[in-house]
């Protein structure tokens, strides 16, 4: 009897351990490459950079991740420690803390939400590790907590989208709905604000606004709800392409033609979005450039060399209508 | 009337009706179903379709809970299923071929069945507590899905696969037809044979049922395998809905929604007696609740609070102790008019106000 119990316990332990190991090696793959923690930049010229990504919530994010991983390579003099926060702030704080303990040279991250970073950034500052923000900003009164913020101007993106809508459809009494990004995230707050200010004074009315959490699945369900709740939607403004693509599915399922019966305007310009724009299912896309890798590499080197860097580096964004999308599509990088 | 009130499905159905009424008040044409392009269209049809994955997961969960277990790994299995199917389709040279899609579906379902078998092995053979045994896969499963998709959201364009998510069969959404079909088959098998009774026996007292000749170990093993398989099917429906496999977010918290659906349906987490029709109503309540949030235009900031309040109300109304109190209070109210109306009722307790509130 005792033997059976022992066998069982051992079997259970082994099986549990093997599964955990499986999970661990996949989710933390880039997190802790063997023994890279103690490398010091000055010694070998290799810059150890800890990067905490938001997650893999959209095509944009995938392109952003790829750009960073492709630029910060060993050939370019970087040792990249990459971790995925799965859209949770606590995961990001944990990742940043672990980078601090490992003593990396630079920490870079895209904050999931705007607030709540002061404590962990103070810790980084106390440890003398410079912090660079990419893509999203933090809302803190103390600007010395980070060296630089590289990313697009989200308010401007919202304005560009709103201005195009105002230009095209003002005077037709359009009713618009909005698919917001993750509640509390900088791009969601800023794009909403920019769009609202741009359509102010026109007869375009924003009749409903809900969060689709930047994902396709939620964009689709929320759009279905909008179609149930309102008869007369003329336009959808989605804070990213993926939610717009979800909305296309919902609109098609409702027997309507996206791009014709209901106009769609989105932000990001990732590949799937551009394809839908070229196919006439989306009407206008404001680009949000995800290729932040080269800028990040550049700023990280400058910061470590003790050079002055600009607090705010704005990435230039373009905008595409359907004709421009057809032209641009074959040569797009992402 | 009393029999209706006492029926185990009364409160869940009442909640469902109340939600539908609220939607109809906010939006009079809510229940209207029209025919467009040869298939049915309308909010009720949307609800049937969005219920489909949850119904499948909750179905497996009910059977597992009946044996006194719980399966926390279903969300992760959903993610694995989508990841396997879409990765296979994406890597195939011909994503539009039915053969590719069928192979992808078969691969995903077989793997999910194996994951279920794994859970069953841990619980029934090794005797590990179900919550711990399935927690292993809950944590590790998403990692496995991430490994399969390489941390990216895999998207595909494949017409035959899309049918699963947004296609129609006989005018109804394919997803709904599949889920409700599976549900009907399982309900039939469980309730028209002795299987259901044996499951309940296992849940009520595993030792006693084993001693009286019930093969509880095999039964337990089977329900976990079934739960894995159903979660896999749900994962296919979810990924076909958006044609994307998102290892992080696909089926996130669906295990909790499924447990909630089971509980709303009146099955106790302590195992034993279970109630498949209740689970069906529970799943519909949750899907309708999600739709209600958009239709009523509730701000995203208070959505979780609103949903929590509704769920609290339903579970309170269902709890036997709460019901006893309500009945007692009602009795007092019925008896009260016999007394002179001018005198304050001495037996008036806070309970009687709860009825009005």
């Amino acid at each position: 009897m005792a033997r059976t119990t022992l066998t069982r316990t051992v079997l259970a332990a082994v099986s549990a351990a093997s599964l955990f190991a499986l999970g661990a090696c996949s989710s933390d793959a880039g997190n802790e490459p063997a023994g890279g923690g103690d490398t010091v930049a000055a010694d070998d010229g290799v810059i150890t950079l800890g990067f905490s990504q938001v997650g893999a919530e959209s095509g944009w994010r995938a392109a952003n991740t790829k750009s960073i991983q492709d630029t910060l390579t060993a050939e370019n003099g970087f040792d990249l420690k990459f971790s995925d926060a799965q859209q949770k702030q606590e995961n990001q704080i944990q990742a940043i803390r672990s980078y601090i303990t490992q003593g990396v040279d630079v920490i870079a991250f895209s904050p999931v939400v705007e607030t709540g970073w002061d404590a962990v950034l103070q810790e980084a500052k106390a440890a003398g590790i410079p912090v660079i923000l990419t893509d999203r900003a933090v809302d803190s009164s103390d600007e010395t907590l980070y060296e630089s913020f590289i990313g697009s101007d989200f308010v401007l993106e919202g304005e560009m989208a709103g201005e195009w809508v105002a230009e095209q459809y003002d005077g037709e009494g359009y009713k618009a709905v909005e698919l917001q990004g993750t509640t509390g995230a900088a791009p969601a707050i800023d794009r909403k604000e920019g769009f609202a200010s741009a359509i102010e004074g026109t007869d375009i009315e924003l009749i409903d606004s809900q969060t689709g959490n930047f994902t396709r699945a939620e964009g689709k369900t929320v759009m279905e709800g909008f179609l149930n709740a309102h008869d007369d939607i003329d336009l959808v403004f989605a804070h990213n392409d993926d939610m717009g693509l979800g909305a296309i599915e919902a609109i098609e399922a409702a027997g309507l033609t996206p791009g014709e019966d209901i106009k769609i305007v989105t932000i990001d310009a990732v590949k799937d979005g551009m394809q839908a724009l070229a196919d006439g299912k989306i009407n206008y896309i404001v680009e949000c450039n995800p290729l932040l890798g080269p800028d990040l590499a550049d700023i990280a080197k400058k910061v470590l060399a003790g050079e002055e860097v600009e607090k705010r580096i704005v990435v230039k964004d373009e905008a595409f209508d359907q004709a421009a999308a057809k032209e641009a599509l074959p040569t797009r990088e992402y | 009337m009393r029999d209706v009130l006492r029926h185990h499905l009364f409160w869940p159905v009442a909640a469902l009706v109340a939600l539908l009424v609220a939607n109809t008040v906010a939006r009079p044409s809510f229940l209207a179903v029209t025919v467009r392009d040869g298939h049915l269209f309308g909010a009720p049809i949307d609800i049937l379709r969005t219920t489909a994955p949850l119904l499948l997961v909750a179905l497996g969960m009910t059977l597992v809970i009946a044996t006194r277990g719980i399966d926390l790994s279903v969300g992760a299995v959903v993610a694995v299923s989508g990841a396997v199917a879409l990765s296979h389709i994406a890597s195939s040279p011909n994503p539009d071929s039915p053969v590719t899609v069928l192979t992808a579906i078969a691969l995903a379902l077989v793997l999910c069945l194996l994951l279920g078998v794994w859970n069953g092995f841990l619980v029934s053979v090794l005797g590990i507590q179900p919550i711990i045994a399935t927690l292993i896969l809950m944590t590790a499963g998403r990692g496995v899905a991430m490994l399969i998709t390489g941390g990216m959201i895999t998207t595909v364009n494949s017409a035959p696969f899309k049918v699963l998510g947004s296609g129609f069969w006989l005018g109804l959404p394919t997803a709904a037809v599949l889920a409700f079909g599976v549900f009907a088959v399982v309900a039939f098998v469980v309730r028209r044979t002795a299987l259901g009774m044996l499951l309940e026996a296992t849940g009520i007292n595993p030792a006693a049922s084993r001693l009286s000749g019930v093969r509880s170990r095999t039964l337990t093993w089977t329900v976990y395998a079934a739960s894995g398989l159903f979660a896999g099917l749900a994962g296919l429906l979810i990924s076909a809905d958006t044609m994307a496999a998102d290892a992080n977010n696909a089926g996130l918290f669906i295990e909790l929604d499924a447990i909630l659906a089971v509980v709303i349906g009146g099955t106790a987490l302590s195992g034993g007696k279970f109630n498949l029709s209740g689970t069906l109503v529970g799943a519909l309540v949750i899907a309708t609740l999600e739709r209600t949030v958009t239709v009523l235009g509730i701000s995203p900031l208070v959505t979780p609070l609103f949903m929590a309040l509704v769920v609290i109300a339903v579970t309170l109304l269902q709890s036997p102790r709460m019901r006893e109190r309500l009945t007692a209070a009602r009795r007092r109210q019925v008896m009260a008019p016999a007394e002179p109306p001018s005198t304050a009722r001495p037996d008036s307790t806070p309970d009687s106000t709860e009825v009005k509130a």
Side-chain angles (χ1 to χ4, degrees):
Chain A
M1 189 65 203
R3 185 187 267 168
T4 357
T5 321
L6 182 67
T7 329
R8 279 184 190 186
T9 322
V10 170
L11 259 176
V14 169
S15 51
S18 65
L19 254 188
F20 267 120
L22 244 183
C25 72
S26 54
S27 62
D28 300 337
N31 206 353
E32 283 162 284
D38 333 289
T39 38
V40 180
D43 293 354
D44 47 8
V46 173
I47 298 172
T48 312
L49 188 143
F51 188 86
S52 169
Q53 181 61 287
V54 172
E57 77 279 12
S58 62
W60 189 94
R61 191 64 59 193
N64 180 239
T65 300
K66 194 167 177 304
S67 164
I68 288 164
Q69 286 177 335
D70 288 352
T71 319
L72 305 182
T73 54
E75 293 92 73
N76 292 345
F78 285 93
D79 175 11
L80 175 68
K81 295 171 179 302
F82 185 90
S83 75
D84 180 330
Q86 312 197 336
Q87 285 160 280
K88 290 191 192 77
Q89 184 177 27
E90 72 245 38
N91 290 353
Q92 260 189 328
I93 292 180
Q94 213 171 39
I96 294 169
R97 289 226 163 94
S98 93
Y99 292 146
I100 296 173
T101 5
Q102 287 172 40
V104 298
D105 301 318
V106 188
I107 293 174
F109 75 112
S110 301
V112 175
V113 291
E114 279 193 334
T115 50
W117 300 101
D118 290 39
V120 71
L121 292 186
Q122 285 289 1
E123 287 169 35
K125 195 180 172 188
I129 302 173
V131 173
I132 300 169
L133 307 178
T134 64
D135 162 42
R136 297 184 184 181
V138 298
D139 185 7
S140 166
S141 49
D142 186 359
E143 282 211 338
T144 62
L145 291 178
Y146 60 90
E147 298 298 322
S148 183
F149 165 40
I150 312 166
S152 301
D153 182 340
F154 299 133
V155 180
L156 186 69
E157 288 171 356
E159 275 171 10
M160 282 163 82
E163 274 160 18
W164 186 82
V165 169
E167 211 171 276
Q168 299 285 317
Y169 305 121
D170 188 18
E172 297 179 36
Y174 263 38
K175 291 201 163 38
V177 292
E178 184 179 38
L179 293 167
Q180 296 177 36
T182 308
T183 310
I189 297 168
D190 293 352
R191 285 172 187 168
K192 185 174 170 52
E193 184 194 316
F195 186 78
S197 73
I199 61 164
E200 210 176 65
T202 68
D203 67 354
I204 297 159
E205 190 193 349
L206 194 61
I207 52 172
D208 215 332
S209 178
Q210 283 274 345
T211 177
N213 222 2
F214 284 130
T215 62
R216 245 190 234 207
E218 284 188 55
K220 182 176 182 184
T221 43
V222 173
M223 190 62 210
E224 277 174 3
F226 283 160
L227 289 166
N228 292 155
H230 312 281
D231 286 320
D232 41 6
I233 301 171
D234 300 302
L235 183 127
V236 179
F237 169 52
H239 286 185
N240 76 346
D241 284 352
D242 283 80
M243 291 192 293
L245 292 166
I248 290 176
E249 301 270 333
I251 292 169
E252 282 177 344
L256 300 168
T257 314
E260 304 264 332
D261 299 328
I262 298 181
K263 311 280 191 278
I264 302 176
V265 174
T266 68
I267 293 176
D268 269 5
V270 294
K271 192 151 191 129
D272 288 356
M274 289 296 274
Q275 187 62 53
L277 182 62
D279 294 346
K281 292 179 174 179
I282 294 181
N283 301 74
Y284 194 67
I285 299 185
V286 177
E287 183 189 42
C288 179
N289 195 337
L291 305 180
L292 303 180
D295 277 330
L296 175 60
D298 190 39
I299 297 296
K301 280 181 185 157
K302 277 188 182 163
V303 166
L304 286 177
E307 288 176 41
E308 271 293 303
V309 291
E310 277 180 61
K311 205 87 214 175
R312 177 75 176 93
I313 293 159
V314 180
V315 178
K316 185 99 185 66
D317 294 326
E318 293 177 61
F320 300 89
D321 58 14
Q322 293 174 346
K326 278 187 197 135
E327 233 168 78
L329 203 55
T331 56
R332 293 283 282 180
E333 275 188 68
Y334 55 92
Chain B
M1 181 63 197
R2 180 169 294 174
D3 284 347
V4 174
L5 265 177
R6 277 213 190 134
H7 193 274
H8 61 268
L9 281 183
F10 176 77
W11 289 112
V13 171
L16 184 59
V17 171
L19 285 174
L20 292 176
V21 167
N23 280 313
T24 316
V25 170
R27 171 84 184 157
S29 62
F30 183 78
L31 290 175
V33 173
T34 51
V35 178
R36 279 188 201 170
D37 308 333
H39 59 72
L40 297 171
F41 168 75
I45 305 296
D46 280 351
I47 290 176
L48 285 186
R49 210 196 59 240
T50 42
T51 310
L54 179 61
L55 179 64
L56 285 168
V57 174
L59 175 63
M61 190 69 80
T62 314
L63 300 179
V64 169
I65 285 176
T67 64
R68 240 189 223 188
I70 198 143
D71 188 349
L72 295 182
S73 70
V74 284
V77 174
V78 162
V80 170
S81 162
V84 170
L86 264 67
S87 302
H88 179 78
I89 296 176
S91 63
S92 119
N94 187 6
D96 274 322
S97 117
V99 179
T100 312
V101 172
L102 285 178
T103 321
I105 292 174
L107 271 177
L109 289 182
V110 167
L111 182 61
C112 293
L113 181 69
L114 288 179
L115 292 175
V117 167
W118 162 262
N119 279 333
F121 170 75
L122 291 183
V123 173
S124 66
V125 179
L126 301 183
I128 299 174
Q129 285 198 9
I131 197 165
I132 304 299
T134 56
L135 191 64
I136 297 172
L137 201 52
M138 179 190 178
T139 0
R142 279 194 191 278
V144 174
M146 294 268 282
L147 191 68
I148 297 169
T149 59
M152 303 282 172
I153 298 178
T154 310
T155 56
V156 297
N157 287 308
S158 159
F161 191 66
K162 195 171 179 173
V163 171
L164 271 186
S166 31
F168 286 85
W169 195 67
L170 298 178
L172 289 166
T174 321
V177 174
L178 258 174
F180 283 82
V182 169
F183 180 85
V185 170
V186 171
F188 182 83
V189 170
V190 166
R191 285 308 178 197
R192 292 289 161 216
T193 67
L195 187 62
M197 196 188 68
L198 298 180
L199 283 177
E200 289 182 348
T202 309
I204 292 166
N205 192 333
S209 57
R210 189 172 52 81
L211 290 175
S212 49
V214 179
R215 299 171 68 183
S216 5
R217 181 189 279 190
T218 320
L219 277 176
T220 312
W221 203 334
T222 314
V223 290
Y224 282 94
S227 177
L229 181 66
F230 295 155
L233 190 52
L236 291 177
L237 299 185
I238 289 173
S239 57
D241 197 23
T242 52
M243 300 301 284
D246 183 345
N248 284 325
N249 296 310
L252 190 63
F253 299 134
I254 201 171
E255 60 276 354
L256 301 183
D257 277 347
I259 294 171
L260 193 60
V262 174
V263 172
I264 289 178
T267 301
L269 287 183
S270 46
K273 276 184 80 72
F274 66 99
N275 189 343
L276 286 178
S277 49
T279 300
L280 173 65
V281 179
L284 283 170
V285 167
I286 292 173
T288 313
L289 186 55
E290 276 164 7
R291 182 49 46 93
T292 309
V293 169
T294 338
V295 172
L296 297 187
I298 291 168
S299 148
L301 298 176
V302 294
T303 301
L305 180 67
F306 170 78
M307 293 177 81
L309 289 177
V310 174
V311 171
I312 290 172
V314 177
T315 37
L316 276 186
L317 286 170
Q318 263 191 320
S319 96
R321 192 167 293 180
M322 193 70 188
R323 271 203 248 173
E324 253 168 46
R325 289 193 160 201
L326 283 178
T327 329
R330 204 176 293 122
R331 236 176 252 140
R332 274 200 295 275
Q333 267 196 341
V334 174
M335 279 156 67
E339 295 167 9
S342 59
T343 54
R345 296 205 308 272
D347 61 343
S348 156
T349 61
D351 284 354
S352 55
T353 52
E354 278 172 15
V355 179
K356 286 167 219 144

